[in-house]
Amino acid sequence: MDFFLEESERLKSLPPYLFFEIDRAKRRSLEKGVKVIDFGVGDPDQPTPSFIVSAMLKASKDPANHHYPLDRGNALFRQAVCVWLKKRFGLVFSSDTEILPLIGSKEGIAHLPLAFVNPGDMALVPDPCYPPYKSGTIFAGGVPYLMPLKEENGFLPEFEKIPADILKRAKIIFVNYPNNPTGAVAPRSFYEKLVRWAAEHKILIASDLAYSEVYFGKDKPLSIFEIPGAKDVAIEFHSLSKTCNMTGWRVGFAAGRPEVISALLRVKSNIDSGVFTAIQKTAIEALKNSFGFSKKTNILYRKRRDLLVAGLKELGFPVKPNQATFYVFTRLPKNQKDSTLFCKNLLEAAGIVATPGVGFGAAGETYVRFTLTVREPEIHEALGRMKKVFDEGKV
Ligand code: PLP
């Protein structure tokens, strides 16, 4: 029976859930007893390191940690964040006014437009992108303006080409390097241009650095705050999810100038009450040891990347190795154009889940994303299965 209330216009205006068909096909394959190999989920397969779990056991036993957390978060965690930002990027932030703990960076990203976007305002959003940039904007009554990320531009948006009438309405530009889903990284020159441009047009840069620690080259991914003047115009989102294999724990933080941080805090303090204090205290230990830990996981992801990329190349994908993130993003083989159909066929014929590029936005069509959160034996198995179904002409 239909529910007696209609969903809000806000909810109805969210982009359609394009992964629905793939989800259904995955369930069907599992029901048939197929051993599905899942390159779909952007969630580390390795467990949270045991030193973090031990810290949590201790912190969770302390009754002092059982109360509502303070809005602004635990002071010791904020101080640990400042130490981490200094060590990793050479940046200096005030732990009192410039750092805000988040219930995962997704929460802060999705809430940010509520602080700065009025109905009818625009947010400049990359296409393809991590979906909350769009949905957070829509929930605030704003309109996402899509900036296509083209492979020939290194998957960087051409923000200088945005028309003047759009710029007048734009309040926020979202950027995300290392990038999900493309795996691209941004050079210093990109951030330098972006900071100058944002200052000129009075647009807040929301830099999503969730993958700052997942990289394979010599050059570490940059923080936008390494660019002089960035603090005037940017907020940056960090996450412990991928850095420390802590996706389920829900902890991250935002860094930025006091005015921006306190606006986001005012939104949050009307919606949530912050991160469980035991988790914030555990996150201190996680950050202290994150560099050694990421070094090890990056070796693991790199081996998987080399194996998968070499195999996909042999199968005819025009794939280039990603320099960061655990995503391999490639155009479809044999000039195929329909990424949803490709992924559906791949799942039905070979029991392999991959994400259609179009699921991240129209500009992702003709691409497919494979995650590196699958163990090497399964990657071998998947490549063998793919060869078979390609040879049989099923995909
Ligand atoms: N940003 C990007 C680009 C992501 O891919 C994700 C998660 O997949 C997040 C942010 C959110 O991470 P979390 O909320 O776990 O910190």
Side-chain angles (χ1 to χ4, degrees), residues 91-216:
L91 301 171
V92 177
F93 280 88
S94 154
S95 65
D96 286 339
T97 57
E98 297 183 325
I99 302 295
L100 184 61
L102 299 170
I103 311 170
S105 62
K106 180 182 195 175
E107 176 261 300
I109 289 166
H111 281 145
L112 180 71
L114 287 177
F116 294 105
V117 171
N118 286 315
D121 286 348
M122 292 191 125
L124 310 174
V125 171
D127 177 14
C129 76
Y130 178 56
Y133 311 148
K134 273 187 228 162
S135 47
T137 301
I138 292 170
F139 282 145
V143 183
Y145 177 84
L146 302 180
M147 307 178 289
L149 303 185
K150 297 183 191 149
E151 192 165 350
E152 62 266 31
N153 297 326
F155 294 114
L156 300 171
E158 296 176 287
F159 51 84
E160 299 104 321
K161 291 193 178 162
I162 297 171
D165 57 324
I166 302 292
L167 292 183
K168 269 192 223 134
R169 292 170 62 193
K171 293 288 167 66
I172 298 176
I173 180 169
F174 286 95
V175 291
N176 164 225
Y177 297 97
N179 183 262
N180 175 17
T182 68
V185 286
R188 184 177 293 271
S189 56
F190 168 78
Y191 286 120
E192 284 169 349
K193 271 195 298 183
L194 181 64
V195 166
R196 275 200 304 273
W197 172 91
E200 185 188 333
H201 296 288
K202 299 196 167 30
I203 294 172
L204 176 68
I205 303 168
S207 168
D208 176 355
L209 222 60
Y211 295 92
S212 66
E213 305 314 296
V214 187
Y215 59 91
F216 311 119

Side-chain angles (χ1 to χ4, degrees), residues 41 61 220-221 355:
V41 283
K61 284 181 186 156
K220 295 178 184 175
T355 309

Side-chain angles (χ1 to χ4, degrees), residues 12 15 35 44 53 68 107 111 128 156 177 192 291-292 329 356 382:
K12 282 197 275 186
K35 190 180 155 251
V53 177
Y68 283 123
E107 176 261 300
H111 281 145
L156 300 171
Y177 297 97
E192 284 169 349
F291 300 121
F329 193 68

